[in-house]
Amino acid sequence: MKNLIFLFLLVSLNSYSQEKEKIIFLFENDRDTVINSQSDNIYMIEGKHTFKFINGKHEKVEVNFNSVKEHLVTYKEFLKKNKSKKYPELFSNYVFYILIKEKNSSACLIQVEKVWLVEDKMVD
């Protein structure tokens, strides 16, 4: 019985220790777009990479821009880092965020998930 409890604790600790890596993309108002609806928003980075915010599922947090700017990654850097991994399954290894810089030094950090659009329709 003790071995069973120990095994259960070991498995559960191991699963919690494999936390997904966080990737933060900068949303630039002059070249990126957002499509708003009541329950979710679609963020398009660099005109072709789409991510979805679902109200109630994902979080939005106000942060200091300077505290997170060193963690920003471009989409090209993200793909280069993962060139040896299988596409599109590699996206399940990460938690994605969009950072929108606001006035002064504040910014809005928005958790999103990767979605694919085909002819402006979402594909799962």
Side-chain angles (χ1 to χ4, degrees):
M1 184 68 177
K2 287 182 183 180
N3 290 339
L4 185 61
I5 293 171
F6 178 73
L7 181 63
F8 175 73
L9 288 174
L10 184 62
V11 169
S12 61
L13 285 175
N14 190 26
S15 65
Y16 286 117
S17 67
Q18 296 177 355
E19 190 172 314
K20 294 181 178 184
E21 185 179 347
K22 294 175 175 75
I23 300 292
I24 304 173
F25 298 114
L26 180 63
F27 184 87
E28 298 182 53
N29 290 324
D30 56 336
R31 77 173 186 176
D32 300 328
T33 57
V34 62
I35 302 166
N36 297 313
S37 71
Q38 288 181 339
S39 62
D40 56 12
N41 298 333
I42 304 290
Y43 294 90
M44 189 172 293
I45 304 294
E46 299 174 7
K48 56 188 166 194
H49 311 291
T50 52
F51 297 87
K52 181 166 113 175
F53 167 81
I54 302 172
N55 199 12
K57 179 179 178 184
H58 298 128
E59 62 183 355
K60 286 185 181 183
V61 180
E62 191 163 324
V63 297
N64 183 315
F65 179 78
N66 294 327
S67 68
V68 295
K69 73 178 181 181
E70 63 198 32
H71 301 288
L72 293 173
V73 176
T74 65
Y75 202 84
K76 186 176 182 178
E77 291 170 334
F78 170 73
L79 290 178
K80 186 177 180 181
K81 176 183 176 180
N82 290 289
K83 67 181 177 184
S84 64
K85 296 181 182 169
K86 192 172 180 180
Y87 189 88
E89 288 83 11
L90 70 97
F91 291 98
S92 63
N93 299 326
Y94 298 96
V95 177
F96 296 100
Y97 291 87
I98 301 289
L99 183 71
I100 301 175
K101 187 173 182 194
E102 297 173 350
K103 294 180 181 182
N104 302 324
S105 63
S106 65
C108 185
L109 188 62
I110 304 166
Q111 184 181 4
V112 292
E113 60 188 52
K114 177 71 174 139
V115 293
W116 286 264
L117 296 180
V118 177
E119 296 179 14
D120 295 331
K121 295 181 182 175
M122 251 184 283
V123 177
D124 283 329

